[in-house]
């Protein structure tokens, strides 16, 4: 009986060293044809791998050299994240990869990453003191060491939000690996995490907001107009600091929003806003128009006084020498103004929530509030940013009680 001949490209099984080996002709992700080998101690074991490799070759491209997860994440951040995402997002991803993902899983082969590996890693991240894991205390000067380097663990574990972000970045990278057909499934997508309770932001009452603005106006605070725009129009901090002189049209009573100022990776960037939905032209209420008029006058006075020291920045809110205002410094100015006004300290972003809450108290339609805050979905406006004030809640419960008498 004549020996059976194999079809072209079918491959073969043969003795190899102390066991057996086999190969199959496959198409790589770059479109080139090459041999891919599998090895084993027995012919039966190699045969099973050989059959499985044949099945993979029929489905689509097969990677002949699988990188480690660390190598792939480096490639993914450089070639996928950096060219396509915002600078702040790129910086956040880089930090998560460098501090959490690569130290924990970077040495594993990409195609051998299992759900169990990711689950074990994410559990360890959630309970590990990051001061110890990242060697923070060890890098401090001898006189400033205070915890791990002295044998007293400070228990600086990451927040639940950080743990969720770690899993999210890894899942995004593995999704792209699956798109490139480097892996067959996303191990991070099947990992379980405890639910996170969203922190409800605080908001001022209308009286507190009024006292805050009156204090800034009385002290001739150079950032008074910025505070007004945040509380009345709900602008984000970066959007306020990114406003330029030509975005304000007092004659038409309009403000164009399309740029923001951010500190990313040691650089101060004047770039486009968060999303396309964030771009808008909003009408200026009288209080905003008056505040912006005062700001333009103050800016011109600063320019005249600075003389040749003026830096010539096109930004509307600058220092007295025309340089951009650091976002973190703006936070400090905000906190100091809260103290001077004698109101509860809230964050700048909570002031944006205050705008939404005050509009709700005025019975403004949710769609209008969404347009003012420039959200893509009304659910974000109503569920996250706006909340009923204590007076409104008290009045509602009072009316409910009276109806049940």
């Amino acid at each position: 009986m004549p020996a059976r001949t194999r079809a072209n490209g079918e491959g073969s099984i043969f003795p190899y060293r102390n066991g057996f080996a086999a190969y199959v002709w496959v198409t790589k992700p770059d479109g080139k044809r090459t041999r891919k080998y599998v090895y084993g101690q027995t012919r039966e074991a190699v045969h099973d791998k050989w059959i499985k490799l044949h099945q993979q070759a029929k489905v689509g491209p097969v990677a002949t050299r699988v990188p480690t997860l660390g190598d792939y994440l480096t490639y993914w951040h450089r070639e996928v994240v950096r060219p396509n995402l915002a600078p702040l997002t790129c910086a956040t991803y880089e930090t998560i990869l460098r501090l959490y993902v690569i130290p924990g899983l970077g040495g594993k082969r990409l195609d051998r990453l299992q759900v169990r590996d990711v689950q074990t890693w994410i559990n360890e991240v959630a309970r590990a003191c990051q001061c110890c894991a990242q060697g923070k205390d060890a890098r401090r000067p001898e006189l400033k060491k205070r915890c791990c380097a002295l044998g007293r663990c400070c228990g600086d574990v990451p927040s639940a939000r950080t743990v969720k972000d770690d899993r999210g970045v890894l899942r995004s990278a593995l999704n792209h690996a699956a798109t490139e057909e480097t892996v067959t499934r996303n191990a991070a997508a099947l990992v379980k995490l405890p639910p996170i309770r969203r922190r409800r932001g605080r908001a001022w009452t209308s009286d507190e907001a009024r006292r805050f603005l009156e204090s800034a106006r009385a002290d001739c605070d150079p950032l008074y107009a910025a505070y007004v725009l945040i509380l009345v129009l709900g602008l984000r901090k970066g959007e306020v600091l990114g406003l330029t002189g030509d975005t304000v049209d007092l004659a038409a009573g309009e403000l164009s929003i399309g740029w923001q100022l951010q500190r990313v990776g040691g650089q101060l960037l004047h770039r486009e806003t968060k999303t396309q939905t964030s771009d808008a032209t909003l009408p200026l209420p009288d209080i905003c128009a008056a505040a912006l008029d005062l700001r333009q006058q103050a800016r011109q006075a600063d320019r005249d006084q600075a003389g040749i020291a003026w830096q010539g920045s096109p930004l509307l809110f600058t220092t007295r020498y025309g340089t951009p205002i650091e976002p973190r410094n703006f936070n400090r100015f905000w906190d100091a103004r809260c103290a001077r006004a004698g109101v509860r300290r809230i964050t700048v972003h909570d002031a944006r929530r205050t705008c939404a809450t005050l509009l709700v108290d005025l019975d403004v339609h949710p769609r209008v509030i969404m347009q003012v805050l420039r959200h893509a979905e009304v659910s974000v406006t109503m569920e996250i940013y706006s909340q009923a004030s204590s007076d409104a809640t008290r009045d509602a419960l009072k009316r409910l009680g009276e109806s049940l008498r």
Side-chain angles (χ1 to χ4, degrees), residues 51-82:
I51 294 297
K52 185 177 180 180
L53 187 56
H54 266 295
Q55 294 172 348
Q56 292 178 357
K58 290 179 181 179
V59 173
V62 178
T64 56
R65 180 185 177 278
V66 181
T68 63
L69 179 61
D71 291 339
Y72 181 80
L73 291 175
T74 301
Y75 148 78
W76 173 72
H77 187 269
R78 181 183 67 250
E79 302 296 338
V80 180
V81 174
R82 194 176 297 166

CSV table of all heavy atoms in Angstrom, one decimal, residues 51-82:
chain,number,residue,atom,x,y,z
A,51,ILE,N,-2.7,19.4,16.1
A,51,ILE,CA,-4.1,19.5,15.6
A,51,ILE,C,-4.7,20.8,16.0
A,51,ILE,O,-5.4,21.5,15.2
A,51,ILE,CB,-5.0,18.4,16.2
A,51,ILE,CG1,-4.6,17.0,15.6
A,51,ILE,CG2,-6.5,18.6,15.9
A,51,ILE,CD1,-4.7,16.9,14.1
A,52,LYS,N,-4.4,21.3,17.3
A,52,LYS,CA,-4.9,22.5,17.7
A,52,LYS,C,-4.3,23.7,16.9
A,52,LYS,O,-5.0,24.7,16.6
A,52,LYS,CB,-4.5,22.7,19.2
A,52,LYS,CG,-5.1,24.0,19.9
A,52,LYS,CD,-4.8,24.0,21.3
A,52,LYS,CE,-5.3,25.3,22.0
A,52,LYS,NZ,-5.0,25.3,23.4
A,53,LEU,N,-3.0,23.6,16.6
A,53,LEU,CA,-2.4,24.6,15.8
A,53,LEU,C,-3.0,24.7,14.4
A,53,LEU,O,-3.2,25.8,13.8
A,53,LEU,CB,-0.9,24.3,15.7
A,53,LEU,CG,0.0,25.4,15.0
A,53,LEU,CD1,-0.2,26.7,15.7
A,53,LEU,CD2,1.5,25.0,15.1
A,54,HIS,N,-3.3,23.5,13.8
A,54,HIS,CA,-4.0,23.5,12.5
A,54,HIS,C,-5.3,24.2,12.6
A,54,HIS,O,-5.7,25.0,11.7
A,54,HIS,CB,-4.3,22.0,12.1
A,54,HIS,CG,-3.2,21.5,11.2
A,54,HIS,ND1,-3.0,22.0,9.9
A,54,HIS,CD2,-2.3,20.5,11.4
A,54,HIS,CE1,-2.0,21.3,9.4
A,54,HIS,NE2,-1.6,20.3,10.3
A,55,GLN,N,-6.1,24.0,13.7
A,55,GLN,CA,-7.4,24.7,13.8
A,55,GLN,C,-7.2,26.2,13.9
A,55,GLN,O,-8.0,27.0,13.3
A,55,GLN,CB,-8.1,24.2,15.1
A,55,GLN,CG,-8.5,22.7,14.9
A,55,GLN,CD,-9.0,22.1,16.2
A,55,GLN,OE1,-8.9,22.7,17.3
A,55,GLN,NE2,-9.6,20.9,16.2
A,56,GLN,N,-6.2,26.6,14.7
A,56,GLN,CA,-5.9,28.1,14.8
A,56,GLN,C,-5.5,28.7,13.4
A,56,GLN,O,-5.9,29.8,13.1
A,56,GLN,CB,-4.8,28.3,15.8
A,56,GLN,CG,-5.1,28.0,17.2
A,56,GLN,CD,-4.0,28.2,18.2
A,56,GLN,OE1,-2.9,28.5,17.7
A,56,GLN,NE2,-4.2,28.0,19.5
A,57,ALA,N,-4.7,27.9,12.7
A,57,ALA,CA,-4.3,28.4,11.3
A,57,ALA,C,-5.5,28.6,10.4
A,57,ALA,O,-5.5,29.4,9.5
A,57,ALA,CB,-3.3,27.5,10.8
A,58,LYS,N,-6.5,27.7,10.6
A,58,LYS,CA,-7.7,27.8,9.7
A,58,LYS,C,-8.5,29.0,10.0
A,58,LYS,O,-9.2,29.6,9.2
A,58,LYS,CB,-8.5,26.6,9.8
A,58,LYS,CG,-7.9,25.3,9.2
A,58,LYS,CD,-8.8,24.1,9.3
A,58,LYS,CE,-8.1,22.9,8.7
A,58,LYS,NZ,-9.0,21.7,8.9
A,59,VAL,N,-8.5,29.4,11.3
A,59,VAL,CA,-9.4,30.5,11.8
A,59,VAL,C,-8.8,31.9,11.3
A,59,VAL,O,-9.6,32.7,10.9
A,59,VAL,CB,-9.5,30.5,13.3
A,59,VAL,CG1,-10.2,31.7,13.8
A,59,VAL,CG2,-10.3,29.2,13.8
A,60,GLY,N,-7.5,32.0,11.4
A,60,GLY,CA,-6.9,33.3,11.0
A,60,GLY,C,-5.5,33.4,11.3
A,60,GLY,O,-4.8,32.3,11.5
A,61,PRO,N,-4.9,34.6,11.3
A,61,PRO,CA,-3.4,34.7,11.5
A,61,PRO,C,-3.0,34.1,12.8
A,61,PRO,O,-3.7,34.2,13.8
A,61,PRO,CB,-3.2,36.2,11.4
A,61,PRO,CG,-4.3,36.7,10.6
A,61,PRO,CD,-5.5,35.8,11.0
A,62,VAL,N,-1.8,33.6,12.9
A,62,VAL,CA,-1.2,33.0,14.1
A,62,VAL,C,0.1,33.7,14.4
A,62,VAL,O,1.0,33.8,13.5
A,62,VAL,CB,-1.0,31.5,14.0
A,62,VAL,CG1,-0.4,30.9,15.2
A,62,VAL,CG2,-2.4,30.8,13.7
A,63,ALA,N,0.3,34.2,15.6
A,63,ALA,CA,1.6,34.8,16.0
A,63,ALA,C,2.6,33.7,16.2
A,63,ALA,O,2.4,32.7,17.0
A,63,ALA,CB,1.4,35.6,17.2
A,64,THR,N,3.8,33.8,15.6
A,64,THR,CA,4.8,32.8,15.8
A,64,THR,C,5.8,33.1,16.9
A,64,THR,O,6.4,32.3,17.5
A,64,THR,CB,5.7,32.6,14.5
A,64,THR,OG1,6.2,33.9,14.1
A,64,THR,CG2,4.8,32.1,13.3
A,65,ARG,N,5.8,34.4,17.3
A,65,ARG,CA,6.6,34.8,18.4
A,65,ARG,C,5.7,35.7,19.3
A,65,ARG,O,5.3,36.8,18.9
A,65,ARG,CB,7.8,35.6,18.0
A,65,ARG,CG,8.7,36.1,19.1
A,65,ARG,CD,9.9,36.9,18.7
A,65,ARG,NE,10.6,37.4,19.8
A,65,ARG,CZ,10.3,38.5,20.5
A,65,ARG,NH1,9.2,39.2,20.3
A,65,ARG,NH2,11.1,38.9,21.6
A,66,VAL,N,5.4,35.1,20.5
A,66,VAL,CA,4.5,35.9,21.4
A,66,VAL,C,5.3,36.6,22.4
A,66,VAL,O,6.2,36.1,23.1
A,66,VAL,CB,3.6,34.9,22.1
A,66,VAL,CG1,2.6,35.6,23.0
A,66,VAL,CG2,2.8,34.0,21.1
A,67,PRO,N,5.1,38.0,22.5
A,67,PRO,CA,5.9,38.8,23.4
A,67,PRO,C,5.4,38.6,24.8
A,67,PRO,O,4.3,38.0,25.1
A,67,PRO,CB,5.6,40.2,22.9
A,67,PRO,CG,4.3,40.1,22.3
A,67,PRO,CD,4.2,38.8,21.7
A,68,THR,N,6.2,39.1,25.8
A,68,THR,CA,5.7,39.1,27.2
A,68,THR,C,4.6,40.2,27.3
A,68,THR,O,4.6,41.1,26.4
A,68,THR,CB,6.8,39.4,28.1
A,68,THR,OG1,7.4,40.7,27.9
A,68,THR,CG2,7.9,38.3,28.0
A,69,LEU,N,3.9,40.2,28.3
A,69,LEU,CA,2.8,41.2,28.5
A,69,LEU,C,3.5,42.6,28.7
A,69,LEU,O,3.0,43.6,28.1
A,69,LEU,CB,2.0,40.9,29.7
A,69,LEU,CG,0.9,41.9,30.1
A,69,LEU,CD1,-0.1,42.0,28.9
A,69,LEU,CD2,0.2,41.5,31.4
A,70,GLY,N,4.6,42.6,29.3
A,70,GLY,CA,5.3,43.9,29.5
A,70,GLY,C,5.7,44.5,28.2
A,70,GLY,O,5.6,45.7,28.0
A,71,ASP,N,6.3,43.7,27.3
A,71,ASP,CA,6.7,44.2,26.0
A,71,ASP,C,5.5,44.6,25.2
A,71,ASP,O,5.6,45.7,24.5
A,71,ASP,CB,7.5,43.1,25.2
A,71,ASP,CG,8.8,42.8,25.8
A,71,ASP,OD1,9.3,43.6,26.6
A,71,ASP,OD2,9.4,41.7,25.6
A,72,TYR,N,4.4,43.9,25.2
A,72,TYR,CA,3.3,44.2,24.5
A,72,TYR,C,2.7,45.5,25.0
A,72,TYR,O,2.2,46.4,24.2
A,72,TYR,CB,2.2,43.1,24.5
A,72,TYR,CG,1.0,43.5,23.7
A,72,TYR,CD1,1.0,43.4,22.3
A,72,TYR,CD2,-0.1,44.0,24.3
A,72,TYR,CE1,-0.1,43.7,21.5
A,72,TYR,CE2,-1.2,44.4,23.5
A,72,TYR,CZ,-1.2,44.3,22.1
A,72,TYR,OH,-2.3,44.6,21.4
A,73,LEU,N,2.6,45.7,26.3
A,73,LEU,CA,2.0,46.9,26.9
A,73,LEU,C,2.9,48.2,26.5
A,73,LEU,O,2.3,49.2,26.2
A,73,LEU,CB,2.0,46.8,28.4
A,73,LEU,CG,0.9,45.8,28.9
A,73,LEU,CD1,1.0,45.7,30.4
A,73,LEU,CD2,-0.5,46.2,28.5
A,74,THR,N,4.2,48.0,26.4
A,74,THR,CA,5.1,49.1,26.0
A,74,THR,C,4.8,49.5,24.6
A,74,THR,O,4.6,50.7,24.2
A,74,THR,CB,6.5,48.7,26.1
A,74,THR,OG1,6.8,48.4,27.5
A,74,THR,CG2,7.4,49.8,25.7
A,75,TYR,N,4.6,48.4,23.7
A,75,TYR,CA,4.3,48.7,22.3
A,75,TYR,C,2.9,49.4,22.2
A,75,TYR,O,2.7,50.3,21.4
A,75,TYR,CB,4.3,47.4,21.5
A,75,TYR,CG,3.3,47.3,20.4
A,75,TYR,CD1,3.5,48.0,19.2
A,75,TYR,CD2,2.1,46.6,20.5
A,75,TYR,CE1,2.6,47.9,18.1
A,75,TYR,CE2,1.1,46.6,19.5
A,75,TYR,CZ,1.4,47.2,18.3
A,75,TYR,OH,0.5,47.2,17.3
A,76,TRP,N,1.9,48.8,22.9
A,76,TRP,CA,0.5,49.3,22.9
A,76,TRP,C,0.5,50.8,23.3
A,76,TRP,O,-0.2,51.6,22.6
A,76,TRP,CB,-0.3,48.5,23.8
A,76,TRP,CG,-1.7,49.0,24.0
A,76,TRP,CD1,-2.7,48.9,23.0
A,76,TRP,CD2,-2.3,49.5,25.1
A,76,TRP,NE1,-3.9,49.5,23.6
A,76,TRP,CE2,-3.7,49.8,24.9
A,76,TRP,CE3,-1.8,49.8,26.4
A,76,TRP,CZ2,-4.5,50.4,25.8
A,76,TRP,CZ3,-2.7,50.4,27.4
A,76,TRP,CH2,-4.0,50.7,27.0
A,77,HIS,N,1.2,51.2,24.3
A,77,HIS,CA,1.1,52.5,24.8
A,77,HIS,C,1.8,53.5,23.8
A,77,HIS,O,1.3,54.6,23.5
A,77,HIS,CB,1.8,52.7,26.2
A,77,HIS,CG,1.7,54.0,26.8
A,77,HIS,ND1,2.6,55.0,26.5
A,77,HIS,CD2,0.7,54.6,27.5
A,77,HIS,CE1,2.2,56.1,27.2
A,77,HIS,NE2,1.1,55.9,27.8
A,78,ARG,N,2.9,53.0,23.2
A,78,ARG,CA,3.6,53.8,22.2
A,78,ARG,C,2.9,54.0,20.9
A,78,ARG,O,2.8,55.1,20.4
A,78,ARG,CB,5.0,53.2,22.0
A,78,ARG,CG,5.9,54.0,21.1
A,78,ARG,CD,7.2,53.4,20.8
A,78,ARG,NE,7.1,52.1,20.1
A,78,ARG,CZ,7.3,50.9,20.6
A,78,ARG,NH1,7.7,50.8,21.9
A,78,ARG,NH2,7.1,49.8,19.8
A,79,GLU,N,2.4,52.9,20.4
A,79,GLU,CA,1.8,52.9,19.0
A,79,GLU,C,0.3,53.1,18.9
A,79,GLU,O,-0.2,53.4,17.9
A,79,GLU,CB,2.2,51.6,18.3
A,79,GLU,CG,3.7,51.3,18.2
A,79,GLU,CD,4.4,52.4,17.4
A,79,GLU,OE1,3.8,53.0,16.5
A,79,GLU,OE2,5.6,52.6,17.6
A,80,VAL,N,-0.4,52.8,20.0
A,80,VAL,CA,-1.9,52.9,20.0
A,80,VAL,C,-2.4,54.0,20.9
A,80,VAL,O,-3.2,54.8,20.4
A,80,VAL,CB,-2.5,51.5,20.4
A,80,VAL,CG1,-4.0,51.6,20.4
A,80,VAL,CG2,-2.0,50.4,19.5
A,81,VAL,N,-1.9,54.1,22.1
A,81,VAL,CA,-2.5,55.0,23.1
A,81,VAL,C,-2.0,56.4,22.7
A,81,VAL,O,-2.8,57.4,22.6
A,81,VAL,CB,-2.1,54.7,24.5
A,81,VAL,CG1,-2.6,55.7,25.5
A,81,VAL,CG2,-2.8,53.3,24.9
A,82,ARG,N,-0.7,56.6,22.6
A,82,ARG,CA,-0.1,57.9,22.5
A,82,ARG,C,-0.6,58.7,21.2
A,82,ARG,O,-0.9,59.9,21.3
A,82,ARG,CB,1.4,57.8,22.5
A,82,ARG,CG,2.1,59.2,22.7
A,82,ARG,CD,3.6,59.0,22.8
A,82,ARG,NE,3.9,58.2,24.0
A,82,ARG,CZ,5.1,57.6,24.2
A,82,ARG,NH1,6.1,57.8,23.3
A,82,ARG,NH2,5.4,56.9,25.3
